[in-house]
Amino acid sequence: MCIRFLLCSRVVNCLDRHVHTCPERVALIWERDEPGSEVKITYRQLLEMTCRLGNMLRRRGVRKGDCVTIYMPPCPLAVASMLACARIGAAHNVVFAGFSAEALAERIRDAQSSTVITVNQGVRGGKVTELKKAVDTALQSCPTVQQVFVAMRTENPVAMTARDIVMEEVRDHYVIQEMQKEDLVCEPAAMDSEDVLFLLYTSGSTGKPKGLVHTQAGYLLYAALTHKYVFNYSDGDVFGCVADIGWITGHSYSVYGPLANGGTTVLFESTPIYPDPGRYWEMVQRLKINQFYGAPTALRLLLKYGDQWVHKYDRSTLKTLGSVGEPINTEAWEWYHRVVGDGRCPVVDTWWQTETGGICITPRPSEPDAEIVPGMAMRPFFGIEPVLMDTEGKVLTSNDTSGALCIAQPWPGMARTIHNDHQRFTETYCQPYPGYFFTGDGAYRSKEGYYQITGRLDDVINVSGHRIGTAEIEDVVNQYSAVAESAIIGYPHNIKGQGYHIMSFSQFVHRLPKTRSGKIMRRVLRKVVEQDLNGLGDLSTLDDPAAVEEIIQGHRELC
Ligand code: PRX
């Protein structure tokens, strides 16, 4: 049975009802790149910004059902732009501001956006990036785009389209000037519970990114519930999720979850080591953060700099520490718990995906006697029914076993489709194990029934009949003090089926090739080891292309 409701746009749940009860509560703390220069925005101010932006978009012809691309770093205007789209019933498509012009163009074209909102320049880790210029380059191959709204993050001017043409044909507009013309009241659109709230592109195993579609009611409900129960969030807490808004983590736990719960949420513009490796903890002290949510890759980096960067700052406000994005190795987990949390804050290793909309497997420390085993994602969240499958597609019913991680029942936050490609959606997620949602990850279920994610299934290696998760070997290698990080990849082996190659051990390298969100691109490493340099595939999401060159060179020398 399917129950559908007609609702006011989601934004009313995130803003209007809090403005009625606590208008002067801080909704957003914009932790700008320069430490100590944070900007606080109340719920009343955020509603005003959102209404002005909503009216601006409506006046410029954006309609319910359209898709607006937002290419901005974390900042209040970016959040207000997301909420303004939601208010008028348009979908938003936030593209990570670290992506290249080419990656941006591909996403704009696929989403068929006619409107882009951006900033003149980005500032991160003390470096300036030319975001408006990237938009200009991208738009050379995006004929659908009619208008660009530009916010000013720095004082440096950028080229706007010529002013001497007729007003209607001007493409680029200064967002602040446009907002000033608008009314503070913007009627929210009436929406069906299954209408689209946003698209968010994520990479798949093939080159073309997938525009996952999330909907109005289920997504927000799920983001809000998980935010509250996983992090033990209570009224008045300051929630510090350091993910960029360009990722699902930023959508669900910097924006929608905390705002739906009337919380104060931090928008982090900087990096973990700018201006020094104490940045996170100095911020925790200054902003009095109660829940900190970050990625293992940053923790691994920080622990190598030493405990003194943590001890320098007061972290007594912290209640819960969260980890997301990849398996957290034991060393990083222990350090997070013992050093950052002084052994008194539960660590929640939260497993989920862009596809799932919110956290699916996680410890829930708010429950009495909740056990947490280091490095394990532990138990399903309410309504999630994880299932492990064997290689023949049979459900594994026993414990102390590993298999392909599927989910048996739909849940409110799940993506409904891939934009313009429902067939790819069903092929990727529904057909591998008919009747189940296939996550693409492998997992181990312990004797006690607790789950541990072993990594993407395409990262699992099979050596002489033993299935080994890349994370398990990396865990051991990383404990060696000379190694900051490692990446394990399988390669074809005549006798064993697969052997494995340890980048940074078998082959020492200065850095590993990573996506801009910090994920190691094992697919690329595998091709280097297989000496299939023509098959490196799409490298557009690579953070530093020089890392690949270095590894190719190093591998040649090894061979
Ligand atoms: O492989 C899993 C890994 O990240 C993938 C999802 O990536 P993305 O859609 O970019 O979303 C990241 C933020 C939710 C998953 O398929 N992953 C995510 N969280 C964990 C994880 N692997 C192990 N442990 C986790 N806690």
Side-chain angles (χ1 to χ4, degrees):
M1 187 175 66
C2 176
I3 304 174
R4 297 172 78 127
F5 298 97
L6 203 63
L7 306 141
C8 245
S9 134
R10 296 303 81 215
V11 73
V12 174
N13 282 312
C14 291
L15 294 179
D16 303 52
R17 67 196 179 97
H18 307 312
V19 172
H20 286 306
T21 54
C22 48
E24 298 312 317
R25 178 181 290 177
V26 174
L28 308 176
I29 304 179
W30 182 22
E31 173 67 2
R32 287 157 36 104
D33 196 46
E34 308 83 2
S37 68
E38 71 273 11
V39 173
K40 295 184 176 167
I41 304 287
T42 66
Y43 272 93
R44 184 181 50 75
Q45 291 169 323
L46 185 56
L47 177 61
E48 285 177 12
M49 286 165 79
T50 302
C51 285
R52 286 184 193 270
L53 280 163
N55 288 330
M56 175 193 88
L57 292 172
R58 265 191 187 141
R59 182 166 55 86
R60 295 279 177 185
V62 179
R63 297 282 168 259
K64 188 172 162 179
D66 291 349
C67 179
V68 174
T69 293
I70 299 172
Y71 184 61
M72 298 170 101
C75 62
L77 263 179
V79 173
S81 299
M82 294 164 76
L83 298 174
C85 290
R87 196 161 191 94
I88 65 169
H92 56 72
N93 165 34
V94 181
V95 177
F96 175 52
F99 277 161
S100 63
E102 201 182 312
L104 171 65
E106 189 176 13
R107 286 156 178 79
I108 292 175
R109 278 197 303 269
D110 193 79
Q112 293 154 306
S113 283
S114 59
T115 302
V116 175
I117 309 179
T118 190
V119 295
N120 63 334
Q121 294 180 312
V123 182
R124 189 163 181 264
K127 295 192 192 110
V128 169
T129 47
E130 299 291 345
L131 298 186
K132 170 64 165 61
K133 280 191 189 152
V135 170
D136 290 340
T137 308
L139 296 195
Q140 287 168 10
S141 60
C142 298
T144 53
V145 175
Q146 302 296 317
Q147 51 193 353
V148 179
F149 295 98
V150 185
M152 297 297 282
R153 169 59 179 87
T154 65
E155 285 171 5
N156 303 328
V158 281
M160 303 286 274
T161 50
R163 291 272 142 191
D164 57 346
I165 48 177
V166 200
M167 202 50 196
E168 279 74 25
E169 291 179 9
V170 170
R171 191 197 67 181
D172 300 349
H173 311 271
Y174 289 107
V175 85
I176 292 290
Q177 286 174 10
E178 293 297 311
M179 283 168 74
Q180 276 160 4
K181 299 177 193 162
E182 301 297 342
D183 204 87
L184 291 178
V185 179
C186 174
E187 188 60 28
M191 305 298 288
D192 186 290
S193 56
E194 286 298 297
D195 278 341
V196 177
L197 179 60
F198 64 84
L199 311 185
L200 188 59
Y201 284 83
T202 185
S203 42
S205 46
T206 64
K208 190 177 180 319
K210 302 178 274 197
L212 287 155
V213 174
H214 283 285
T215 53
Q216 296 274 323
Y219 169 82
L220 190 72
L221 168 77
Y222 199 70
L225 268 187
T226 46
H227 171 251
K228 185 168 162 58
Y229 289 108
V230 173
F231 297 100
N232 206 2
Y233 167 81
S234 44
D235 223 24
D237 283 350
V238 177
F239 192 78
C241 168
V242 289
D244 193 283
I245 52 157
W247 310 116
I248 191 69
T249 311
H251 279 58
S252 302
Y253 300 109
S254 296
V255 180
Y256 284 109
L259 294 182
N261 288 327
T264 298
T265 182
V266 175
L267 303 170
F268 185 66
E269 190 184 38
S270 195
T271 79
I273 52 168
Y274 182 77
D276 60 47
R279 177 58 186 263
Y280 278 168
W281 325 121
E282 184 273 326
M283 173 179 78
V284 165
Q285 172 182 290
R286 181 164 35 84
L287 304 183
K288 300 188 173 36
I289 289 175
N290 301 111
Q291 290 91 0
F292 182 86
Y293 194 27
T297 183
L299 300 175
R300 284 197 295 269
L301 176 70
L302 292 179
L303 77 81
K304 299 288 172 196
Y305 281 99
D307 301 357
Q308 71 277 14
W309 289 107
V310 187
H311 290 151
K312 236 176 126 177
Y313 302 104
D314 176 10
R315 288 150 286 111
S316 58
T317 51
L318 286 174
K319 294 197 287 190
T320 312
L321 299 172
S323 167
V324 61
E326 50 179 322
I328 177 165
N329 51 310
T330 320
E331 191 190 9
W333 195 101
E334 297 285 358
W335 184 80
Y336 204 19
H337 183 249
R338 184 176 49 78
V339 179
V340 176
D342 285 326
R344 55 174 189 84
C345 303
V347 172
V348 289
D349 173 11
T350 62
W351 174 85
W352 59 297
Q353 312 176 296
T354 306
E355 291 84 343
T356 68
I359 295 164
C360 286
I361 304 183
T362 175
R364 291 198 301 273
S366 56
E367 290 173 15
D369 305 326
E371 195 188 351
I372 303 183
V373 181
M376 292 193 89
M378 302 300 292
R379 293 190 296 154
F381 190 72
F382 310 133
I384 301 293
E385 204 184 310
V387 167
L388 298 182
M389 298 284 182
D390 70 10
T391 43
E392 272 134 44
K394 291 210 190 71
V395 175
L396 292 159
T397 49
S398 58
N399 282 354
D400 191 15
T401 189
S402 298
L405 178 63
C406 295
I407 302 180
Q409 299 284 338
W411 63 101
M414 78 184 294
R416 303 299 198 260
T417 187
I418 292 174
H419 180 63
N420 275 341
D421 202 348
H422 192 64
Q423 192 182 341
R424 187 174 178 198
F425 184 82
T426 53
E427 276 169 13
T428 310
Y429 305 110
C430 310
Q431 283 172 14
Y433 300 95
Y436 298 86
F437 174 88
F438 174 48
T439 66
D441 281 325
Y444 165 72
R445 187 169 54 225
S446 72
K447 286 194 199 79
E448 300 77 19
Y450 298 147
Y451 288 86
Q452 179 170 34
I453 310 305
T454 47
R456 297 295 303 182
L457 276 181
D458 39 15
D459 287 337
V460 167
I461 30 194
N462 190 329
V463 184
S464 306
H466 301 288
R467 289 180 65 157
I468 309 174
T470 50
E472 292 166 66
I473 310 173
E474 286 162 7
D475 206 351
V476 175
V477 174
N478 291 350
Q479 287 175 22
Y480 180 59
S481 62
V483 174
E485 270 196 308
S486 58
I488 309 297
I489 38 159
Y491 67 93
H493 189 282
N494 287 349
I495 300 166
K496 298 176 184 167
Q498 264 186 320
Y500 62 83
H501 188 92
I502 309 174
M503 283 287 164
S504 99
F505 201 69
S506 300
Q507 182 180 344
F508 270 96
V509 294
H510 293 296
R511 57 213 149 152
L512 293 166
K514 290 189 182 173
T515 61
R516 291 190 175 91
S517 63
K519 280 196 178 31
I520 298 167
M521 292 181 87
R522 293 189 180 76
R523 159 177 76 80
V524 172
L525 294 174
R526 200 174 300 117
K527 291 292 173 192
V528 175
V529 173
E530 289 169 2
Q531 302 190 348
D532 177 12
L533 297 186
N534 292 331
L536 290 179
D538 174 29
L539 300 180
S540 66
T541 57
L542 195 63
D543 188 31
D544 180 4
V548 178
E549 287 304 317
E550 193 182 293
I551 288 164
I552 294 173
Q553 188 56 34
H555 191 69
R556 267 198 206 113
E557 284 162 18
L558 253 186
C559 298

